[in-house]
Every structure is written in C-alpha cells, then in structure tokens.
Amino acid sequence: MPGSADARPGYGRARSPLRPSPDRWRHGGGARPGPREKTDPTRARRGRPMEAPTPPSAGGHGSGAADGRPGGWFGHGSPGPSAPPPRTAPRTPQAPAAPRAPMPSRTPAGPRVSVPPQASAASRAPAPPSAPRPSSGTALLRRTMAEIEPIADRVTSYFYALLFLRHPGLRDLFPAAMDAQRDRLFKALLTAATHADDSATLTAYLADLGRGHRKYGTRPEHYPAVGEALLGALARYAPRSWGPETEAAWVSAYTTISQIMIDAAAADEAKAPAWWRAEVVAHERRTADIAVVTVRPDGPYAFRAGQYTALETPWWPRIWRHYSFATAPRSDGLLSFHVKAVPAGWVSNALVHRARPGDVVTLGPPSGSMTVDHTSDNGLLCLGGGTGIAPIKALVEDVARHGRRRSVEVFYGARRDHGLYDIDTMLRLQRSHPWLSVRPVVDDAGPLAGGLPEAIRDSGPWHTFDAYLSGPPGMIRRGVDTLRGVGVPAHRIRHDSIEELVGATS
C-alpha cells in the first residue's frame, strides 16, 4: 500500500544528529519525539537535535517521481524519496553562523534560529519612543501582523524569495502553477501565530495540518528553513514593531507551531498511511458541469460525516484540491464526492470531464471538524450552497444512523433552479425521516427567494440549534454573520476553513 513503512518520509527512527548550532531551528530528529523536558523558564532550552538535511534527488523532489506518489508541502508538492531513506543521514556542512543580535535575558524555550541580516539590523535598532510596549508575546505578534497587513502581498513575495535564495533545493516543493496554493503557507503561519494564546484551537488546527502534510513528503528538517525566511520577511517589512522582544516572541511562536505539526505527523505515522490510492468505480454526471464521483480506497479509510479530504488526479500530479465526503461512512467502504468543474480548474475539470471507472486517484487523510456532537440534543441547522450540499447530506445520514430523533433543518441554496442538482435525494431523505425538513432556496425564484442568509433570518428562532455551513466562501461568510445576528453563539457555528475552501475551487 502506498505510504507503507518502506516508502514514507522518515519520522520513524532517530538519525545521526547535528550539533546544536545558532543558525538552525531545533526540532526532533526523524524519530518520534519523546515527552517534552521540564525546563527552567528563565533559561533557554537546548532544542532536540534535528535530522541532517537530505539533498533532493532525481526521484525525490523533482516533478513526476517514478513511483507517481504525491508531493508538496502546505498544499503543494514534492514526492517523498523513491527509496527508503538511510537510517543515518549524512552530515551536511554548515556555513559559519552569522553574529547574532543581542537577545533578551528571558529567551523562549525551544529551537533557535539564525537572525537574517535584516532581522539583526532591526533588532539592534531601538524601538520608537512613542511605541507602546505590549504586555504579552501575543500582543507583540498581533502588532507585527497589523503592520504588515496593508502590504501582505509584498511580504509574502519576499518570504518566498528569501526561502528559495537560501534554500534553493526547496523551490521544487512549490510548483510555479500553484501560486495561490503556495501563498497559503505564509498565511497559515501568520494565522497560527496570532492564535498562540488559544492552545486548544491552535493544537487542533496545527495537528491536523501536520498529519495532512505527510502525504506531501514533508520532513522535519524543512521547518527550520521556513522559520528563517519567516523572520527575515517580518523583520524587513515590520520595522516599527520589530525588536529583540518581538523577535523572541516570533521565535517562540514558530517553535510551538512547527513542533506541534512534527509531533502530530510522527504520532500519525504509527497508525495510518500517508496517502491512499483509490479506484474510480462510478462516475455520474448530474449536470453539464457537476459529477458525483465514487471511489474505492485500497485500504481501510476511517472518516466522519462532515469531513473532507485532499484529492490528486493522475492528470495533474502534485496538485491537490479539497472535497467533502458526500455520505456518512458506508459498510462497503466506498467514498463519494460531488465535484463542480470551474473555469480554469485543473483538478475539478479532470474529475468531471476526464475521470472514468478504472482510473486511480490519490487521497490524503480526512480533515475537518464540521462533525455532529452526538452527545447533544440540540437541533441541527444546515446551510448547503451548490455542491456544499454534499457534506450536509452526509450529516443527515449520520444523524439517521445514530437513531436519535433530533430536529434537522436543511436550507439548500443555489443561484438557479438547475443548481439544486441533488434536491431529489434530499427530498427522499425528508420523506424517510419525519425529523428532517428540507427547504430549497433559489436566489431569483422559489418559495424562499433572496438567498440563504435572508431565508435564515426570516425563519427560526435558531438560538438553540447547532449550525453547519458548507458552500462557496462568500456564502459562508454571509451565513456566519447572519447566524450570529439572530442569536446563534459563535461556538455552535461549524464550517470548513475558508482558506481550504479557496483552494478547492479549482
């Protein structure tokens, strides 16, 4: 099976460590990291040794690896090594470390990173006298974010320029055709850093990313290079807020971010493959641009209704898009997806117009938290727009399978009548389950014209319901605003990540 122990990137065994060096972040080596040490918070911890970097090979990071395995990182890709990595990686000579800027006496525990020239200069410069001194590390991070927000595009471009200049071997991990997907790496780092004070949310989000990145061939030694580029970009474009304390806050935040992902990937390796092959067994065209694609994975695939996965086709290797599961888990192990072909959408057009039974696609692990809490008796308010009805249908099946009579209200929206391509299926479910109500919503016609947000506002009350939203990003944003406006608490509103949805629309 793909992703078996002899083919996965190495998290399994410790490798020959490098000596601690000031010009590298430190993370656990290839071995699964052990329990974290308890350290004196007033002293810097010597980080765990990192694996020696392995240079790219012809079968590794180049496009079209011989074994056809997916590649990439943070949604983009490069195949993993085509042969098992050596148990002891060769030591790579290190360039002399640049002189470091003075650091505050209380340095954060965890790996250290070399300070880029721009960062050093900024660190030596005194903070503007009028600038207030934030009271916490999180405040420092958010102050940096506020400074770079108006010029985010320039900061992102500089981040990648710095990354590829210092580590040219990583360039192949980010295909030129994936600019939008590529930029999600930098955005994800910034988003995670600003949630550093919400450990539960941060850990769940990053652990999910770490597990998902296994399919791209991500290795622990990739993280230090990204950390160096991150600091360099922030130091250059946030001079007003940058200084020793701010630099230390970002070092600490990135150390936490990367270690959570590394630990999650190492733990996941013990119980699941990095990817699955899946054969297309059915392909049903519902409209000219929408198809229901059903596949059979080559091994057990555990997921929950409401989740989604990344999918790669044989026609566009290393390009992944996210699709929600259209059913609850089935006894026959089959998985179904609703796919709409969009203009210039490489993966979606391939799945709708080219895929046929017998073709083989690649699946990443399941992701997402838009799942039902079966310990609650709250009703479910579900908004599904376009192909976003797929996970909503899966949630209805999940409630039915658990046998509890909970009120489920489904609003199924589309811009035109023909966009309600799965309305017959939803109405059959309604006839079978008296606790289910399905309401079609069409923007320009129908009994509830005006769009999903307006339909929700005119119905209800909904303050005792758990809300689930799936569909285009714009619909989700408007829907969340409407739900909060009619009294649904934010913690009871669930939907897929907006960033993931943007990546799925092609």
Side-chain angles (χ1 to χ4, degrees):
M1 176 190 298
S4 58
D6 63 343
R8 294 184 207 148
Y11 285 90
R13 293 185 178 273
R15 303 180 190 276
S16 176
L18 293 173
R19 292 181 179 179
S21 168
D23 66 339
R24 291 286 180 188
W25 295 84
R26 294 287 160 213
H27 296 291
R32 274 187 283 279
R36 297 174 186 259
E37 301 178 41
K38 293 183 179 179
T39 59
D40 181 348
T42 64
R43 304 180 63 181
R45 176 169 65 91
R46 282 174 73 92
R48 285 169 282 183
M50 181 188 70
E51 287 185 271
T54 303
S57 62
H61 297 303
S63 60
D67 62 355
R69 282 177 289 152
W73 190 28
F74 280 85
H76 345 288
S78 160
S82 58
R87 298 181 66 172
T88 301
R91 298 181 68 175
T92 302
Q94 299 292 317
R100 289 185 56 83
M103 295 292 289
S105 58
R106 294 176 62 89
T107 54
R112 300 172 65 190
V113 64
S114 63
V115 182
Q118 296 84 355
S120 298
S123 299
R124 287 192 294 267
S130 59
R133 294 177 61 84
S135 58
S136 69
T138 303
L140 289 165
L141 303 179
R142 290 175 176 165
R143 187 171 141 198
T144 308
M145 290 285 290
E147 186 172 355
I148 67 171
E149 184 176 8
I151 52 172
D153 290 344
R154 275 188 284 167
V155 184
T156 303
S157 296
Y158 187 80
F159 166 79
Y160 286 104
L162 202 60
L163 179 64
F164 297 153
L165 177 65
R166 295 181 175 181
H167 305 276
L170 297 182
R171 184 180 295 274
D172 288 339
L173 300 182
F174 301 87
M178 298 180 65
D179 289 345
Q181 286 279 91
R182 179 204 67 186
D183 292 349
R184 288 173 51 216
L185 164 57
F186 189 64
K187 293 175 183 176
L189 292 176
L190 298 180
T191 300
T194 55
H195 287 81
D197 56 352
D198 185 354
S199 60
T201 299
L202 183 67
T203 300
Y205 170 66
L206 292 173
D208 199 44
L209 283 180
R211 289 187 291 266
H213 293 164
R214 290 181 57 220
K215 68 181 177 292
Y216 305 128
T218 306
R219 300 171 62 86
E221 63 264 28
H222 292 151
Y223 289 88
V226 173
E228 293 170 4
L230 173 66
L231 283 194
L234 296 176
R236 179 181 180 91
Y237 284 98
R240 294 192 304 276
S241 59
W242 200 257
E245 290 185 4
T246 303
E247 180 186 326
W250 279 97
V251 167
S252 179
Y254 183 77
T255 297
T256 300
I257 289 169
S258 53
Q259 195 63 58
I260 290 173
M261 289 192 283
I262 290 172
D263 291 349
D268 190 60
E269 186 181 27
K271 58 185 179 182
W275 59 84
W276 290 255
R277 299 295 192 198
E279 179 185 358
V280 177
V281 296
H283 187 279
E284 178 189 356
R285 291 284 286 273
R286 293 290 183 86
T287 70
D289 58 358
I290 294 177
V292 177
V293 182
T294 302
V295 303
R296 178 185 291 112
D298 61 358
Y301 191 98
F303 72 98
R304 296 181 63 186
Q307 291 189 304
Y308 60 91
T309 186
L311 192 152
E312 179 207 43
T313 72
W315 302 283
W316 297 108
R318 305 200 307 164
I319 297 180
W320 297 75
R321 294 295 183 264
H322 296 96
Y323 294 99
S324 296
F325 301 105
T327 67
R330 296 167 46 162
S331 58
D332 58 12
L334 297 182
L335 311 173
S336 292
F337 307 95
H338 292 190
V339 183
K340 180 177 181 179
V342 298
W346 296 5
V347 175
S348 63
N349 276 282
L351 289 172
V352 172
H353 299 299
R354 299 184 62 172
R356 294 293 180 270
D359 291 330
V360 176
V361 298
T362 306
L363 304 175
S367 300
S369 58
M370 198 182 77
T371 56
V372 176
D373 177 6
H374 292 290
T375 67
S376 170
D377 291 324
N378 291 343
L380 274 64
L381 171 60
C382 303
L383 284 67
T387 53
I389 197 63
I392 300 301
K393 182 167 75 72
L395 294 176
V396 171
E397 293 178 357
D398 193 36
V399 172
R401 187 176 62 171
H402 278 74
R404 298 180 63 186
R405 295 176 63 88
R406 300 173 63 177
S407 176
V408 179
E409 302 282 340
V410 174
F411 289 78
Y412 182 7
R415 293 183 178 178
R416 303 289 185 272
D417 286 333
H418 70 270
L420 301 174
Y421 67 93
D422 210 32
I423 188 63
D424 290 342
T425 302
M426 298 305 300
L427 293 177
R428 281 197 300 270
L429 288 171
Q430 179 179 249
R431 289 192 292 270
S432 301
H433 306 296
W435 41 262
L436 172 64
S437 172
V438 177
R439 313 186 199 190
V441 181
V442 180
D443 280 353
D444 62 352
L448 293 173
L452 285 175
E454 290 78 4
I456 295 300
R457 192 179 297 112
D458 295 341
S459 306
W462 306 115
H463 60 279
T464 61
F465 281 67
D466 294 335
Y468 297 81
L469 299 88
S470 180
M475 185 218 83
I476 290 181
R477 292 188 183 97
R478 293 193 301 272
V480 169
D481 291 343
T482 299
L483 289 168
R484 296 188 68 174
V486 297
V488 180
H491 69 275
R492 294 217 307 265
I493 301 175
R494 298 181 175 92
H495 58 83
D496 293 334
S497 165
I498 297 294
E499 292 295 329
E500 300 291 354
L501 291 166
V502 171
T505 57
S506 55

